[in-house]
Amino acid sequence: SAVISQKPSRDICQRGTSLTIQCQVDSQVTMMFWYRQQPGQSLTLIATANQGSEATYESGFVIDKFPISRPNLTFSTLTVSNMSPEDSSIYLCSVRADTQYFGPGTRLTVL
Amino acid sequence: GEDVEQSLFLSVREGDSSVINCTYTDSSSTYLYWYKQEPGAGLQLLTYIFSNMDMKQDQRLTVLLNKKDKHLSLRIADTQTGDSAIYFCAGRDTGTASKLTFGTGTRLQVTL
């Protein structure tokens, strides 16, 4: 199993600012992902965070808007840049160990 | 890409069984998952099944897989008010970089 923590758990931000979300896992994992869940919606994959190389982004998501770091096998960050109200969502970190686990999420509200 | 469909809402009485259904389009889905999301919380992994299995039981949870019809179901026996949540099915294939594709989610409401 894998236990995932995220910081912050929630935040309210102003339009045009940026927020960095941290994800910490209690064991080393190869595969780490970032998902977005817009209000009342299902989950959409933003990118796969690759250790030691650039993240792999899904269609519709770009590095300038969602820069990701993965400095080691237990930690990753996702930054939501130049935020607008449309970025208000829950952002979830996920890892693949024996199976796939999700963190508690970061609830972001952009005013 | 794969489409995964679920009914949006299910209401059951406490003590009854709940059956949440999921249909998927991609026959290469090898791993199929059920997650639970309570209000304001992240996703809790409930159970998963490999595509070479027809059924998996774990305490009150029973997963049934019909590969021919590409249909997955989650049965919750003796449903309790604490089971009220949104339930997501998700599937992925065997590629190491393969991603989960999520269903639309089913909101389960348990009434007294």
Side-chain angles (χ1 to χ4, degrees):
Chain A
S1 66
V3 177
I4 305 169
S5 59
Q6 286 186 232
K7 290 182 186 178
S9 58
R10 59 177 61 229
D11 207 343
I12 301 173
C13 300
Q14 296 297 320
R15 181 195 299 259
T17 62
S18 298
L19 176 72
T20 295
I21 303 167
Q22 298 179 6
C23 176
Q24 180 76 51
V25 191
D26 68 341
S27 58
Q28 292 187 337
V29 292
T30 305
M31 305 295 290
M32 224 163 165
F33 308 87
W34 286 98
Y35 283 80
R36 180 176 75 180
Q37 185 180 25
Q38 295 178 295
Q41 302 295 313
S42 187
L43 280 78
T44 302
L45 179 64
I46 297 172
T48 302
N50 302 309
Q51 196 263 330
S53 64
E54 201 169 273
T56 304
Y57 289 85
E58 295 297 303
S59 175
F61 297 96
V62 295
I63 188 171
D64 289 346
K65 176 67 177 176
F66 297 102
I68 287 170
S69 79
R70 178 89 191 269
N72 57 52
L73 292 176
T74 63
F75 186 80
S76 177
T77 67
L78 168 74
T79 299
V80 186
S81 303
N82 188 24
M83 289 184 284
S84 66
E86 293 70 36
D87 295 319
S88 297
S89 296
I90 300 173
Y91 292 86
L92 297 110
C93 173
S94 177
V95 304
R96 189 170 297 161
D98 53 324
T99 184
Q100 191 141 350
Y101 301 94
F102 284 79
T106 296
R107 184 179 295 270
L108 171 63
T109 302
V110 184
L111 302 177
Chain B
E2 171 157 33
D3 283 329
V4 183
E5 297 288 335
Q6 297 178 242
S7 52
L8 290 180
F9 185 75
L10 176 66
S11 181
V12 299
R13 296 182 65 170
E14 189 178 39
D16 289 349
S17 292
S18 307
V19 180
I20 302 170
N21 295 302
C22 174
T23 58
Y24 58 97
T25 58
D26 189 350
S27 59
S28 67
S29 289
T30 303
Y31 302 91
L32 295 146
Y33 303 82
W34 283 103
Y35 290 91
K36 176 184 180 183
Q37 186 177 39
E38 296 184 64
L43 266 68
Q44 174 192 353
L45 175 66
L46 291 178
T47 188
Y48 61 96
I49 189 169
F50 296 112
S51 60
N52 62 357
M53 300 167 67
D54 297 323
M55 185 183 84
K56 181 178 181 181
Q57 188 157 2
D58 184 1
Q59 299 182 340
R60 291 192 297 125
L61 304 179
T62 302
V63 178
L64 294 178
L65 175 60
N66 182 329
K67 282 192 71 176
K68 175 175 170 289
D69 295 339
K70 297 179 188 172
H71 182 264
L72 181 73
S73 67
L74 174 70
R75 178 177 180 270
I76 305 172
D78 186 25
T79 310
Q80 303 297 307
T81 55
D83 295 324
S84 293
I86 300 176
Y87 291 80
F88 291 96
C89 66
R92 74 173 182 93
D93 63 28
T94 55
T96 53
S98 61
K99 63 179 184 179
L100 287 184
T101 299
F102 279 85
T104 47
T106 299
R107 180 179 296 276
L108 174 63
Q109 179 184 67
V110 182
T111 59
L112 297 174

